[in-house]
Amino acid sequence: MRQGGISSRKICVLVALCVLIGLASGRTAAADPTGPATFPTSFDSRERIPKPDLSAVARLRFLTTVDFPPFNFIDQTGKLAGFHIDLVREICKELDIIAKCQIQALPFAELRESLTADAGEAVVAGMAVTTGLRRDFAFSRPYLRLPARFAVRATAVPETGTAAALTGRPVGVVAGSVHEAMLKAYFPTLNPVPFGTLADMQGGLAAGKVDAAFGDGLQMAFWLGGPGAGNCCRLFDGPYFSDAFLGEGLTIMTRKDEPAVGGAIDHALLSLSRSGRLAEIYLRYFPVGIY
C-alpha cells in the first residue's frame, strides 16, 4: 500500500512497465481455502442499498492521481486512463449523473487536503483505510481487494497444488513486510527465507534459491507476466486475503458531511458488482487475473 495509505511509487514504476501485458495465471482459492472463488466482492448477494437523491449535488468531482498504473496513468494519447477512470465513468453512468461528473488528477499528497477544502467530493486513488483517515472521512465498500499469492518455478510446481505441499520448504518473503508476518501466521509449517527487497526475492525464486515466494499478488502477477521473470515462474495456490495484514482493500474516500455521495457510490458499486460490470473493468487491466 502507498505510504500513508497507498502503495510505494517504486512499485508503480515496476507496474507501469507491465500494463496490459498478459499475467501469469494460477488456481484460485479462498484464504483459509474451502474451494474455488470468483471475483471477490464485499457485497452480500441479497443486500440492497437505496439510491440516494443527488438532485441537490451540483457536481460530483472525483480526485485521483496520474502515477498509479494500471489504476491511474496517462495513456499514449495524453489522456487520463486506467482502472479507476473506467470505474468512475461506470459509477456516474449507473447514477445517471454523467453530466455532473468530473475527474481531476492531483499529486497524491494534495488529495486529502483538496477533499477537505471542498475541491472535490470523492477520492479514488487506491486509498487505504486507516484509523486516522476513518476518523476524518467516510469510505465506500471495497471495490477491489489485493490478495497475497505464492509463486513457484514453472519447472517445479508442487503436484498437490496447495500450500501444504510447501511444508518445511524455503519460501522467500521480503524482510519486515506484512507478507512475512502473514506467512508466519497463516503457514507456520513453512520455512520463511527473508530477502532485503522485492527484486531480491524475485531473483532468488528465479535462481532456485527458494522453492517458492510469497507476496503481494498484484506485484507478483505483473512481474511474472513481464520480461524480467523470463517465464521462470507462475502463481501457485491462493488467493489469500486478510484484513488484519492486508487491509480492507481499495475504497473511495468521501467527506462525512455528504452522506448522500457516499451512499450513492455504494449503491453504484453494488449494482456494478451484481451486474458483472465491475469484473469486466477488472479484466480490462488484469487480463488473466490475480485471483
Side-chain angles (χ1 to χ4, degrees), residues 163-228:
L166 299 172
T167 297
R169 296 165 65 175
V171 177
V173 289
V174 176
S177 67
V178 294
H179 295 96
E180 180 183 31
M182 185 176 173
L183 182 74
K184 292 177 179 178
Y186 277 39
F187 306 99
T189 63
L190 275 55
N191 177 25
V193 177
F195 288 85
T197 67
L198 175 65
D200 290 341
M201 180 186 75
Q202 294 167 342
L205 175 62
K209 296 179 180 179
V210 290
D211 291 345
F214 185 74
D216 176 74
L218 178 65
Q219 299 174 48
M220 200 82 77
F222 277 118
W223 171 65
L224 294 176

Side-chain angles (χ1 to χ4, degrees), residues 96-286:
D96 298 320
I97 55 169
I98 294 178
K100 292 184 177 183
C101 273
Q102 300 175 11
I103 305 174
Q104 181 179 358
L106 299 171
F108 177 75
E110 298 179 13
L111 292 175
R112 179 175 177 175
E113 181 179 348
S114 296
L115 185 61
T116 302
D118 197 22
E121 284 68 52
V123 169
V124 54
M127 190 71 67
V129 180
T130 65
T131 302
L133 287 177
R134 192 176 283 284
R135 182 183 60 244
D136 300 327
F137 300 97
F139 291 87
S140 73
R141 296 287 190 86
Y143 53 84
L144 188 66
R145 301 186 68 192
L146 301 180
R149 293 297 305 264
F150 286 99
V152 296
R153 291 190 306 285
T155 57
V157 179
E159 292 183 1
T160 64
T162 67
L166 299 172
T167 297
R169 296 165 65 175
V171 177
V173 289
V174 176
S177 67
V178 294
H179 295 96
E180 180 183 31
M182 185 176 173
L183 182 74
K184 292 177 179 178
Y186 277 39
F187 306 99
T189 63
L190 275 55
N191 177 25
V193 177
F195 288 85
T197 67
L198 175 65
D200 290 341
M201 180 186 75
Q202 294 167 342
L205 175 62
K209 296 179 180 179
V210 290
D211 291 345
F214 185 74
D216 176 74
L218 178 65
Q219 299 174 48
M220 200 82 77
F222 277 118
W223 171 65
L224 294 176
N231 296 317
C232 72
C233 312
R234 53 157 289 181
L235 292 177
F236 175 77
D237 200 24
Y240 290 96
F241 300 97
S242 169
D243 287 357
F245 290 105
L246 305 178
E248 299 178 23
L250 303 186
T251 65
I252 297 175
M253 188 169 77
T254 60
R255 291 195 305 277
K256 287 186 174 181
D257 62 356
E258 291 193 336
V261 171
I265 289 173
D266 274 340
H267 169 83
L269 290 175
L270 172 60
S271 298
L272 295 176
S273 175
R274 188 161 292 157
S275 68
R277 281 182 288 165
L278 182 58
E280 289 174 5
I281 299 171
Y282 160 76
L283 289 173
R284 293 174 197 167
Y285 297 94
F286 307 91

Side-chain angles (χ1 to χ4, degrees), residues 28-44:
T28 54
D32 236 357
T34 56
T38 58
F39 180 79
T41 175
S42 60
F43 298 98
D44 186 277

